[in-house]
Amino acid sequence: MFVDHDKVGDLPSAAARVSDGDMVALGGGLSARLPMALVRELVRLGRQDLHLVGSAHGMDVDLLVAAGAVAVCEESYVGFEQDLGLAPSYRRAAEAGQLEIRETCCVTILTQLRAAQMGLPFLPVRGVKGTDIRRMHPDYAEIVCPFTGETLVAVPPLEPDVALIHAPMGDRVGNLHLEQPYVLDEHFARAARQVVATVDRLATTEEVVATGVTIPGHRVSVVVEVPFGAHPTSCYPGYAYDRQHLAAYVAAAGQAQTAQDYLAEWVTRPGGEDAYRAALDQDRLDRLMSWSDTIEEWKELFV
Amino acid sequence: MNWNLPEWFVVTLARTISDREVVFHGFGSPCAQVAMHVARRTHAPNMLLIEGAMYAVNPAPPFVPPTSNDQALKYGAAYSMRFEEFFDAACRGEVDRMFLSGGQIDPYGNTNVTAIGPMNRPKVKLGGGGGGCNISATIRHLTLWTTRHRSGRTLVQECDFITDVGHRTPAGSRVDLGYTGGGPAHLVTELGVFDYGDVGRARLVQIFPDVTLDEVERSTGFELQVSPDLGTVPEPTEEELEIVRAVDPLAVHASEFDPSELDRTFTSEPAIA
């Protein structure tokens, strides 16, 4: 556990806690509260051979794959749903045999994180048996229940080296407030060796406590204030997702060369994360933040 | 009264839900999502509606956004489950119905949402199955759907990869595998509706009126079995159509279809030239 009273750091040194080859857990899910500023910083640092784990993800995984940072993908889903479709860079790398796919299931990964939290060598799951997900995983096994005689699939503990979590608000101790869905973030925080957190806004402990602590500071090793740190994904109550930016990314990622163009324009340009934020259209950001003004304006963000 | 195929499709999915059921849809599933709200506002007022990736209980979204982790989907809900709270309930057998789709679906209702072609070098890497690999084993009933039957590539004799379990896989039946859920009960496609009879194999029971049996046969990659009571898909009511349009003003559900299917329109009165 992490007992320091002040864990505020800067983005490059926070992201540098991830080493080449690490197992990295990604917080958030789909296009909500993905730790995008940390993901971009990992690209800037040139990290490689990462083993990414998560439930259902999107641009975070795709961007890291586009940047050549990933060796293994272990998620239950990577994509942009029916709206923007398959994840282009992830798909291209998988189809070229350049990425080891260890596809998982939301329940399996939850169970593996619970085993890690409990200090157990395995836990069983009811499903998976008879599917090709089972055949894809030599790391799973079968076990006969000593009480019922049933054969169940046993899965090993999952202990990520680092969990990357973005929150709308947190304090200097690392206490984080999240809005639902929490997805696996609480479990990642308990199972990982360390949590690297970004927050849209650093607040007083009193304010975070009054709003509700979702992840306690003693699980967090460093916290960095990064406004719009989940952009272009959403981070309620702050901002809705930037569908236009995501659509532009998915279009760019469709070809290897234009994916690199996106990285050069938005991620690796000089000036780091500040330059990313400065390049965003302020009117657009204002609209994403004003989602709660009227239902009509909220709805318009999705058109 | 006029309606289009996607609206009719959603109403047909809604009718697979019974009142008082606990019902769930996964992410990226706007047809199922809208269908659940239609059911709850018509014939299943006492269902427990668990909204996609928000796990919100009985919400009243002001619109359906094109992404499933958006707060619009918990609007009006008194409570949202935690991730583990939903999945534990599903594994324990407390969820009565889930909607599931797939890039490939075989005659037994196994679905592939992982990859087309060999896994080490797939022809198409699909997105993945979310929680289906476990909870398809334990949820009481599954309603399968696809909007891509006509492609000829979706309903196949054998899935290249089994992500979610139907009535039997090469490793055995649901009983052999110790699965506590009942498996697929229906498969709704843009051409018609299948049930799984007594033996757990797809059987065409209804067909849309602008589709011929020959078209269904040509689009189906496994031997088509047809119920002796084959009928036409029952028409939607005016109330159901109004609810589809009110729940989904952005028509996000229509994005699941090939654009050509949107031209399929129907009317309950004879057209007057």
Side-chain angles (χ1 to χ4, degrees):
Chain A
M1 299 205 196
F2 297 90
V3 298
D4 292 339
H5 297 297
D6 192 337
K7 299 180 187 125
V8 173
D10 61 77
L11 188 61
S13 60
R17 289 170 181 252
V18 175
S19 304
D20 287 351
D22 271 359
M23 185 194 290
V24 178
L26 296 161
L30 294 173
S31 291
R33 218 169 31 69
L34 302 182
M36 292 306 301
L38 284 162
V39 161
R40 286 187 286 266
E41 199 64 25
L42 290 177
V43 174
R44 293 177 194 120
L45 291 170
R47 285 292 181 270
Q48 292 184 330
D49 295 325
L50 302 178
H51 174 174
L52 302 181
V53 300
S55 55
H57 285 263
M59 185 173 169
D60 47 356
V61 172
D62 201 72
L63 193 81
L64 285 166
V65 171
V70 186
V72 181
C73 267
E74 190 163 7
E75 296 84 18
S76 69
Y77 173 84
V78 180
F80 296 87
E81 302 172 82
Q82 82 292 332
D83 189 34
L84 302 173
L86 301 175
S89 309
Y90 168 80
R91 180 186 164 183
R92 193 163 48 244
E95 292 167 11
Q98 294 164 352
L99 195 59
E100 185 183 337
I101 303 290
R102 291 186 205 164
E103 196 161 299
T104 184
C105 163
C106 296
V107 173
T108 304
I109 192 168
L110 169 68
T111 305
Q112 293 185 269
L113 292 168
R114 280 171 161 164
Q117 290 165 49
M118 297 162 81
L120 289 171
F122 74 90
L123 280 174
V125 292
R126 168 71 65 184
V128 182
K129 202 164 47 158
T131 72
D132 288 312
I133 296 282
R134 170 69 189 93
R135 294 200 305 147
M136 188 191 265
H137 280 273
D139 50 325
Y140 303 169
E142 270 73 41
I143 186 166
V144 177
C145 171
F147 302 107
T148 64
E150 296 172 277
T151 300
L152 298 165
V153 171
V155 295
L158 192 74
E159 192 174 8
D161 294 300
V162 185
L164 306 180
I165 291 177
H166 181 77
M169 176 176 37
D171 68 8
R172 302 184 70 89
V173 189
N175 292 306
L176 306 178
H177 167 76
L178 306 183
E179 298 264 311
Q180 280 182 304
Y182 304 141
V183 199
L184 283 171
D185 293 35
E186 296 164 288
H187 292 277
F188 283 146
R190 293 175 202 139
R193 294 178 200 277
Q194 64 169 319
V195 173
V196 170
T198 50
V199 294
D200 286 319
R201 184 167 67 86
L202 271 175
T204 63
T205 297
E206 291 68 28
E207 186 180 355
V208 179
V209 169
T211 317
V213 174
T214 318
I215 292 175
H218 60 256
R219 288 283 166 200
V220 175
S221 58
V222 60
V223 59
V224 186
E225 184 179 67
V226 186
F228 290 99
H231 184 274
T233 69
S234 65
C235 187
Y236 286 100
Y239 43 96
Y241 83 152
D242 190 340
R243 185 164 175 255
Q244 288 175 9
H245 191 107
L246 279 167
Y249 170 74
V250 171
Q255 302 291 331
Q257 183 52 53
T258 45
Q260 296 310 309
D261 295 344
Y262 177 93
L263 288 170
E265 182 183 355
W266 290 99
V267 182
T268 54
R269 64 155 68 184
E273 188 66 15
D274 289 343
Y276 173 84
R277 205 160 47 246
L280 297 170
D281 176 352
Q282 190 57 50
D283 289 344
R284 178 77 188 157
L285 293 183
D286 289 343
R287 286 180 58 210
L288 298 178
M289 285 190 291
S290 62
W291 64 272
S292 60
D293 289 358
T294 68
I295 294 285
E296 209 47 44
E297 284 176 73
W298 195 10
K299 189 170 77 179
E300 284 304 309
L301 295 174
F302 297 96
V303 176
Chain B
M1 190 172 73
N2 300 299
W3 65 93
N4 65 18
L5 188 276
E7 292 169 331
W8 197 351
F9 185 91
V10 165
V11 168
T12 305
L13 283 179
R15 289 175 175 178
T16 69
I17 296 170
S18 302
D19 197 20
R20 307 191 69 80
E21 283 186 339
V22 177
V23 187
F24 172 74
H25 71 82
F27 52 78
S29 308
C31 284
Q33 189 170 22
V34 179
M36 283 166 54
H37 287 281
V38 171
R40 183 161 172 260
R41 294 194 196 183
T42 54
H43 66 276
N46 304 302
M47 68 185 266
L48 197 79
L49 187 162
I50 304 174
E51 183 81 67
M54 296 297 294
Y55 315 114
V57 179
N58 290 338
F63 56 90
V64 171
T67 183
S68 308
N69 260 359
D70 195 86
Q71 287 215 354
L73 296 173
K74 73 168 194 180
Y75 191 87
Y79 185 74
S80 295
M81 293 182 180
R82 278 184 153 86
F83 185 95
E84 60 272 30
E85 197 175 1
F86 167 71
F87 283 109
D88 287 350
C91 290
R92 194 182 181 192
E94 291 185 314
V95 176
D96 297 306
R97 185 174 302 278
M98 171 171 67
F99 289 86
L100 255 183
S101 188
Q104 291 180 326
I105 303 173
D106 76 12
Y108 308 106
N110 296 304
T111 57
N112 173 12
V113 281
T114 299
I116 308 296
M119 193 53 225
N120 56 340
R121 286 299 289 274
K123 185 159 168 275
V124 184
K125 176 65 188 85
L126 303 171
C133 183
N134 277 286
I135 65 179
S136 62
T138 54
I139 285 180
R140 193 156 300 161
H141 306 291
L142 307 176
T143 296
L144 306 185
W145 89 101
T146 176
T147 58
R148 304 286 167 158
H149 187 172
R150 200 189 294 275
S151 74
R153 296 189 299 267
T154 307
L155 300 198
V156 294
Q157 179 58 40
E158 204 175 316
C159 290
D160 294 346
F161 188 102
I162 295 176
T163 317
D164 306 315
V165 284
H167 285 284
R168 59 169 53 251
T169 81
S173 70
R174 296 183 75 88
V175 172
D176 298 336
L177 294 165
Y179 286 170
T180 50
H186 295 95
L187 165 63
V188 178
T189 86
E190 81 279 26
L191 305 183
V193 180
F194 295 78
D195 71 7
Y196 286 84
D198 299 327
V199 293
R201 191 203 183 277
R203 186 179 69 153
L204 186 70
V205 290
Q206 292 171 358
I207 191 167
F208 284 103
D210 61 338
V211 173
T212 65
L213 199 52
D214 188 49
E215 278 177 273
V216 180
E217 195 148 30
R218 274 189 281 117
S219 305
T220 305
F222 50 79
E223 188 201 336
L224 184 67
Q225 292 186 0
V226 181
S227 162
D229 304 321
L230 179 70
T232 305
V233 180
E235 291 186 356
T237 66
E238 197 160 353
E239 184 193 15
E240 287 168 323
L241 290 171
E242 279 172 11
I243 294 168
V244 170
R245 292 162 191 168
V247 167
D248 187 13
L250 299 173
V252 171
H253 71 276
S255 65
E256 284 196 45
F257 293 84
D258 186 275
S260 65
E261 305 292 343
L262 307 185
D263 298 334
R264 292 170 62 189
T265 55
F266 306 88
T267 176
S268 60
E269 313 249 323
I272 296 163

